[in-house]
Amino acid sequence: MLVREVMGPCVVAIEPGESAALAARLLARHNVGALPVCAGDGQLRGVVTDRDLVLRCLAAEEDPRQVPVGRIMTRHPAQVAPGDDVRQAAQTMARHQVRRLPVVEAGRVVGMVSLGDLARCGKYEMEISRALTEISGNVRRP
C-alpha cells in the first residue's frame, strides 16, 4: 500500500512569517497536531507542531502573538513521497521519532500522513507497532 492511499490530502499550511498564535488557532480549528510551514512558492520550509509551540514559545515565556512560526518550527523535517510504501513511512516516523510526516512531491506539500492514518489502513500492524515503540522510546515514566 502506498502513502497516497492513506494520506490526508487536504493540507492546512502556514507561512514562516505568521505568528505562533495563528499556528495554535489553526491547529485547534482543524484538529491537527502539525502544520507544514511553506513559503509563498509552496515549498516546504519546516513543520510546526503543538509541541514546538509549547516548548519553544510558551515554556520560553515568549508572546505567541509576536513570535514568527519560522523561529520555532522544526527545520528540515522528515518527509515522504506519495509513491512511498506505508512501511517506509512507518520506518521514517520511527527513525525520526515523529507521529506525522509531510508528503512532498516536487518540493511541494501534497498531503500529510500520520501514525493514525497508517493504523487505519488495517495492514502492517508490526511496522506500526514498532514505529510507535520507537517514537515513544524516550518517554519518561513517573
Side-chain angles (χ1 to χ4, degrees):
M1 183 169 275
L2 301 178
V3 169
R4 76 170 45 91
E5 298 172 62
V6 298
M7 72 181 195
C10 298
V11 179
V12 178
I14 192 165
E15 291 192 12
E18 296 291 345
S19 72
L22 175 59
R25 287 192 305 273
L26 289 171
L27 289 169
R29 183 178 304 139
H30 297 282
N31 194 30
V32 295
L35 298 172
V37 180
C38 300
D41 60 2
Q43 298 290 309
L44 182 65
R45 299 290 188 249
V47 170
V48 65
T49 66
D50 45 9
R51 188 170 196 273
D52 293 330
L53 290 167
V54 170
L55 296 180
R56 297 178 183 163
C57 185
L58 298 176
E61 297 184 6
E62 299 276 353
D63 181 351
R65 295 169 299 183
Q66 303 300 317
V67 175
V69 168
R71 201 164 95 206
I72 62 168
M73 71 183 182
T74 299
R75 299 176 192 283
H76 313 291
Q79 56 188 268
V80 291
D84 289 347
D85 188 277
V86 296
R87 287 176 290 215
Q88 182 179 351
Q91 290 167 359
T92 300
M93 288 177 184
R95 187 171 48 258
H96 294 277
Q97 293 188 306
V98 296
R99 289 178 168 82
R100 302 163 196 91
L101 294 169
V103 182
V104 179
E105 188 169 49
R108 298 178 64 92
V109 178
V110 295
M112 290 289 283
V113 65
S114 70
L115 194 57
D117 295 330
L118 300 182
R120 280 191 293 279
C121 81
K123 297 181 181 181
Y124 314 114
E125 287 85 4
M126 285 300 296
E127 289 87 349
I128 294 164
S129 176
R130 192 172 304 121
L132 184 57
T133 300
E134 290 293 320
I135 290 166
S136 303
N138 65 351
V139 174
R140 292 186 212 165
R141 307 230 189 274

